Amino acid sequence: MPLKKAHQRIGFVPTMGALHKGHLALILKAKEICDVVVCSIFVNPTQFTDPKDLEKYPRPIQSDIQQLQNVGCDFLFMPSVLEMYPKPEKWQIALGNAEKVLEGAFRPGHYQGVTQIVKKLFDAVTPDIAFFGQKDYQQVLMIEKLIEKFKLPVQLFRHPTIRETDGLAMSSRNVHLSADERKRALVLSKALFFVQNHFEKYSIPQLLEKAATMIRNEEGVELEYFAICNGKTLMPIAKKSAATIVALIAAKVGATRLIDNVIIKEQTTSF
Ligand code: AMP
């Protein structure tokens, strides 16, 4: 690639489209620290465990292109499914124990699909720095593993979660929420912030119980998991001594499945 030869620093933001300010924040950060920025839009079928979820995934491509132009993204890579998967193929890499918990437990095989497509996208784009959101905390750990396994010459930048002013984490799936569900969905971030703000005051079992009660009391919200974990291994913690601690939640609000997390403490960041 001529850009590579010209020693241009390539920043890459992989997305599934239906862009919002969370995605745009990643692109703006990439523009800040790279010479050229590539965004990809690809709704990757191999990472969906629910065919209905794949089918109804929003695809507002004209508005996406407009938003990319507005923020001055240099390149949009928008391959077809056939281009990325010309023939059926198996992908199985060892991602460690953290693959099977939380999202991995509720969406078996999800991170195999994620790492499969990210490897293909990295091969196509050859980025120097790839930008991912903390919103998908477990995903960032899985991409770290992918990079480590294949010794890929890519640096990872984890961008903080961008939220609506009332605290709801921005997500492409939020468009599926009715006005009433949108209000009820606030309980996810409220429970996370409660745990973050009261971490010193209560024990871990007390925090888990209080968060679960908050969510149980919100009608129409079905909790899948609320966990306080070691931020490196994603194993639930009983004591507060881990260097990195994160609280993570997944819940269905009506028919829409949402995830969110907060970092309670962290020893170092990758940048
Ligand atoms: P997606 O299109 O949902 O696959 O997301 C593409 C990238 O944007 C992923 O790295 C996500 O973690 C990131 N992202 C999605 N929502 C947010 C958000 N609210 N704040 C920051 N990053 C986000």
Side-chain angles (χ1 to χ4, degrees), residues 254-269:
T256 307
R257 186 173 185 278
L258 300 176
I259 61 170
D260 197 358
N261 67 79
V262 291
I263 296 171
I264 292 167
K265 66 170 172 160
E266 185 165 42
Q267 203 168 36
T268 50
T269 53

Side-chain angles (χ1 to χ4, degrees), residues 179-221:
D180 183 53
E181 288 167 348
R182 167 72 183 71
K183 276 189 214 135
R184 295 182 188 284
L186 275 186
V187 76
L188 275 78
S189 53
K190 276 196 185 141
L192 289 169
F193 294 146
F194 177 87
V195 166
Q196 190 174 43
N197 295 332
H198 297 82
F199 194 69
E200 297 308 328
K201 187 167 173 193
Y202 297 113
S203 68
I204 302 251
Q206 283 172 327
L207 289 165
L208 290 172
E209 179 50 35
K210 284 176 188 296
T213 305
M214 284 171 81
I215 295 148
R216 244 184 270 125
N217 288 343
E218 192 68 64
E219 215 182 294
V221 178

Side-chain angles (χ1 to χ4, degrees), residues 47-187:
Q47 74 189 67
F48 281 79
T49 45
D50 174 1
K52 272 197 227 115
D53 189 24
L54 172 62
E55 196 186 313
K56 73 174 189 187
Y57 202 83
R59 290 167 166 90
I61 190 57
Q62 285 314 321
S63 130
D64 284 353
I65 291 171
Q66 188 61 57
Q67 292 192 69
L68 290 174
Q69 281 173 345
N70 292 349
V71 292
C73 180
D74 299 296
F75 295 96
L76 166 61
F77 180 44
M78 212 173 59
S80 67
V81 173
L82 203 63
E83 239 175 302
M84 297 316 272
Y85 300 104
K87 52 182 177 351
E89 57 184 272
K90 286 209 166 70
W91 172 268
Q92 196 62 48
I93 61 164
L95 293 168
N97 293 336
E99 183 202 348
K100 305 282 183 203
V101 299
L102 306 171
E103 286 306 285
F106 280 85
R107 307 177 72 189
H110 173 64
Y111 290 116
Q112 291 298 327
V114 168
T115 48
Q116 180 181 32
I117 192 60
V118 170
K119 172 71 166 60
K120 283 170 181 280
L121 292 169
F122 280 0
D123 288 347
V125 176
T126 65
D128 296 285
I129 311 180
F131 296 77
F132 288 86
Q134 182 203 317
K135 160 88 181 4
D136 298 279
Y137 186 91
Q138 193 172 4
Q139 172 168 276
V140 177
L141 292 186
M142 296 297 110
I143 305 297
E144 274 173 7
K145 269 268 184 255
L146 172 78
I147 290 175
E148 188 188 300
K149 285 261 159 208
F150 287 90
K151 299 189 172 42
L152 302 175
V154 183
Q155 267 183 291
L156 260 193
F157 185 101
R158 188 189 70 207
H159 195 287
T161 302
I162 304 296
R163 299 178 179 281
E164 304 284 358
T165 44
D166 58 8
L168 181 71
M170 290 192 184
S171 163
S172 303
R173 290 186 167 89
N174 290 351
V175 296
H176 296 312
L177 300 169
S178 69
D180 183 53
E181 288 167 348
R182 167 72 183 71
K183 276 189 214 135
R184 295 182 188 284
L186 275 186
V187 76

